[in-house]
Amino acid sequence: MIRFDGRTAIVTGAGNGLGRSHALMLAERGCNVVVNDLGGSVHGEGASLSAAEQVVKEIEDKGGKAMAHGANVTKADEVADMVETAIAKFGAVDILVNNAGILRDKSFSKMTEEDFRLVVDVHLMGSMICTKAVWDHMKERNYGRIAMTSSSSGIYGNFGQSNYGAAKMGLVGLMNVLQIEGAKYDIRVNTLSPTAHTRMTEGLIPEAALELMTPESVSAGLVYLVSEDAPKRTILAAGAGGYAAAKIYETPGVYLKPEDQTPDKVAEHIERITAPEGQQELTDGSGQTLKFLAYAADHFGVKLG
């Protein structure tokens, strides 16, 4: 059984919905939990610590240990205070769950720069700020488990969510880099892509389907992603009891001789370029460069390495 006895987790946006579910499930398995929530609306308006305090009460009533903190994840000083307070109370921060988020949905033609920037600030910059606040602490302790929260809106796209989709795909890129940088310190970074009925999905999903989409079914995946034996660099899609891995592949592509490196020849060969046979999941950005260099070197008879 996966347990977290002696571990401490910060869960952002944990006053309601998925964050609350994550916090409760971690606490049930022995984790000390910092319940972070600004207490704003789904649109990012207002602030109140009451939601976070209620979750703390639920945890403590069941014999668990928790504390509430109302840090705004976009404010580095407030996040730093949260981390320092957590370390003072529990001794360390072992786990960070970047869950806090807001929505400002509109078609791109109607979306303002303010709405775009605010969503990116909360989801992407907020996750960066929280991760930055625990990163050196985790490096010093040679242990860390970090979960980003992405979305199918970022991985695949969804009408009216250009701001949300951009931020959510940005988190996949952040995970990819941090997993490489944190590997030797046993900092494992993964991403959750959830489907659940929360305040953010009200009005978007038929009522008959809502009872299948429990936050707890998503939290089961999240808890695994931050466990002792967590995977690395995994995008875990979870919802309604379904679990899958989302992956980004690159096709083998083609090599075009110097005289054929023109837009016209690219168009002529586009079917071969996009053919999926032999596609690979690359482990870092250099993989693409080395692949293309190998093609060119083979053509010119140049030895690499």
Side-chain angles (χ1 to χ4, degrees):
M1 183 178 183
I2 292 175
R3 296 285 303 177
F4 297 88
D5 302 288
R7 298 293 188 190
T8 298
I10 293 176
V11 183
T12 67
N16 294 282
L18 285 178
R20 172 182 174 274
S21 177
H22 298 340
L24 292 175
M25 192 171 290
L26 284 165
E28 286 170 2
R29 290 173 177 262
C31 197
N32 306 318
V33 181
V34 179
V35 181
N36 163 256
D37 204 285
L38 180 61
S41 71
V42 69
H43 301 294
E45 298 160 344
S48 170
L49 195 58
S50 59
E53 290 171 336
Q54 180 58 41
V55 176
V56 169
K57 184 176 185 305
E58 289 183 64
I59 291 171
E60 292 179 338
D61 285 348
K62 294 178 181 178
K65 296 180 180 179
M67 58 166 274
H69 199 288
N72 181 332
V73 297
T74 69
K75 306 292 185 183
D77 58 337
E78 295 182 19
V79 171
D81 179 75
M82 174 173 65
V83 172
E84 290 167 7
T85 304
I87 293 172
K89 183 176 180 64
F90 297 121
V93 174
D94 306 286
I95 297 162
L96 171 64
V97 178
N98 287 306
N99 170 77
I102 63 170
L103 288 177
R104 291 287 181 96
D105 290 358
K106 289 179 182 176
S107 64
F108 191 61
S109 61
K110 296 179 180 178
M111 186 173 293
T112 64
E113 180 182 338
E114 179 186 5
D115 283 341
F116 197 101
R117 190 180 300 278
L118 182 59
V119 168
V120 170
D121 279 348
V122 174
H123 289 273
L124 181 55
M125 294 303 296
S127 295
M128 183 281 293
I129 289 169
C130 290
T131 302
K132 184 70 172 174
V134 301
W135 190 254
D136 286 344
H137 173 69
M138 289 180 173
K139 283 176 63 178
E140 290 169 4
R141 300 182 67 248
N142 285 298
Y143 186 90
R145 300 291 182 265
I146 299 171
M148 307 297 177
T149 304
S150 187
S151 169
S152 57
S153 296
I155 299 170
Y156 306 114
N158 195 31
F159 186 90
Q161 293 193 313
S162 58
N163 50 2
Y164 186 74
K168 289 304 191 183
M169 198 58 184
L171 287 165
V172 173
L174 181 59
M175 171 197 70
N176 288 338
V177 174
L178 292 184
Q179 177 54 56
I180 293 169
E181 294 187 7
K184 69 177 180 179
Y185 304 102
D186 194 23
I187 300 175
R188 303 186 190 184
V189 189
N190 294 286
T191 296
L192 181 72
S193 179
T195 297
H197 175 52
T198 67
R199 292 185 303 164
M200 287 192 178
T201 61
E202 288 178 3
L204 299 177
I205 299 169
E207 288 293 328
L210 294 182
E211 62 185 44
L212 304 175
M213 303 182 67
T214 65
E216 292 77 13
S217 67
V218 175
S219 293
L222 178 280
V223 168
Y224 165 65
L225 288 181
V226 296
S227 65
E228 193 88 11
D229 296 322
K232 302 171 184 177
R233 200 180 180 180
T234 295
I235 305 172
L236 181 67
Y243 304 90
K247 297 189 176 186
I248 299 170
Y249 291 100
E250 183 165 304
T251 66
V254 302
Y255 174 74
L256 299 179
K257 296 180 291 185
E259 62 269 26
D260 291 334
Q261 293 169 14
T262 67
D264 312 277
K265 287 296 183 180
V266 171
E268 182 181 325
H269 290 86
I270 195 62
E271 288 190 11
R272 285 180 58 203
I273 290 170
T274 59
E277 291 79 14
Q279 63 188 9
Q280 293 179 301
E281 184 184 13
L282 302 180
T283 57
D284 60 55
S286 67
Q288 182 189 79
T289 301
L290 292 173
K291 178 180 71 174
F292 289 159
L293 280 174
Y295 289 172
D298 182 65
H299 174 74
F300 286 104
V302 176
K303 289 185 178 181
L304 295 179

